Amino acid sequence: MNSSALDSFLDKWRARWPEWSVAEPFVAPEHRARAVAWFSLLQELDDMLNTSGDPLPADAKLAWWGEELRSWAGQRSRHPLGRVLEPIRAPWAVLADALPSLVEARAVAVDAAAAQRALTAFAEAVAAVEVVLFEDRPRAGAGQAVLLQTLAQRLYDAGVTGVPRSLLEPDAAAAPRRWAGELLKDWKLRVAGPRPRRIWAALARARLQSQASGKPIEATPVRTLLRVWWAARG
């Protein structure tokens, strides 16, 4: 399980989220390894959603991941992340069925509602996996929490390409800040979902607040500790 191939994916996610070193102790010990593996997988999918340039390589990867996730039901994983995740009997096929929607979601949405609709099936599939993965119960609003974080990550990675067309006028340069502010309106300090998701969402929300305000994020260990402590509460 600790192969160099697996470590390379986990390390890539940790490099993008260095705050996790402060947050991780708030995750149950038995869920820590699978949380990082799962978030690393979601990062791979985010990268395919937010790709720039020729989309064909990303489309091919998404198709491959669809086959890979379906194979996990029979415990036939090929990807290093599967060593951690495949033994868990989560609805992997449901997530696989939602992956094609990421191709369509790359297009600039007409408005905020269209941006949300494009990723709703994917977000609900992710939330369904997390119920099993983290031994939680279904919670109203969990899919919406994933949706907002996915849109925030798209804005973070893709910039103005991730902003709905209706927000591009009158000043396209300020559009990312406007979209960040719109996303924050529905994003509570503590979202629905299992504890690892709530903690990660708190870190992502802080980044989005920075984008909305145009000010650098204050990610000191103490501030991060307070954010994740609040998010981790029941």
Side-chain angles (χ1 to χ4, degrees), residues 140-227:
Q144 179 70 7
V146 174
L147 175 60
L148 289 172
Q149 189 169 341
T150 303
L151 288 170
Q153 188 64 45
R154 175 157 174 71
L155 175 61
Y156 191 84
D157 291 341
V160 72
T161 303
V163 179
R165 189 172 294 115
S166 62
L167 296 177
L168 294 178
E169 299 293 340
D171 180 8
R177 287 181 61 181
R178 286 198 295 272
W179 182 222
E182 287 296 313
L183 292 174
L184 283 170
K185 288 180 180 178
D186 296 321
W187 195 329
K188 299 178 181 178
L189 289 174
R190 186 165 59 236
V191 303
R195 180 177 287 188
R197 165 61 62 178
R198 298 198 308 268
I199 291 173
W200 190 25
L203 302 179
R205 188 180 188 278
R207 290 190 179 184
L208 189 64
Q209 284 180 305
S210 176
Q211 283 187 286
S213 67
K215 299 177 182 178
I217 184 174
E218 295 187 51
T220 64
V222 172
R223 286 184 177 273
T224 299
L225 188 66
L226 290 173
R227 287 188 186 104

Side-chain angles (χ1 to χ4, degrees), residues 71-94:
S71 76
W72 288 6
Q75 296 186 307
R76 297 189 304 274
S77 64
R78 294 168 290 173
H79 196 278
L81 292 173
R83 300 180 188 180
V84 181
L85 300 173
E86 172 222 78
I88 301 150
R89 297 297 189 171
W92 302 118
V94 175

Side-chain angles (χ1 to χ4, degrees), residues 58-155:
D59 291 351
K61 285 184 180 180
L62 277 174
W64 185 91
W65 267 111
E67 296 176 1
E68 173 72 358
L69 290 170
R70 290 186 181 90
S71 76
W72 288 6
Q75 296 186 307
R76 297 189 304 274
S77 64
R78 294 168 290 173
H79 196 278
L81 292 173
R83 300 180 188 180
V84 181
L85 300 173
E86 172 222 78
I88 301 150
R89 297 297 189 171
W92 302 118
V94 175
L95 179 59
D97 290 342
L99 294 187
S101 65
L102 298 184
V103 176
E104 300 173 10
R106 287 194 202 116
V108 177
V110 174
D111 54 26
Q116 295 206 20
R117 283 195 303 271
L119 287 167
T120 293
F122 172 74
E124 293 292 344
V126 168
V129 169
E130 292 184 348
V131 168
V132 180
L133 204 61
F134 301 119
E135 302 171 291
D136 199 45
R137 58 179 172 79
R139 298 172 187 263
Q144 179 70 7
V146 174
L147 175 60
L148 289 172
Q149 189 169 341
T150 303
L151 288 170
Q153 188 64 45
R154 175 157 174 71
L155 175 61

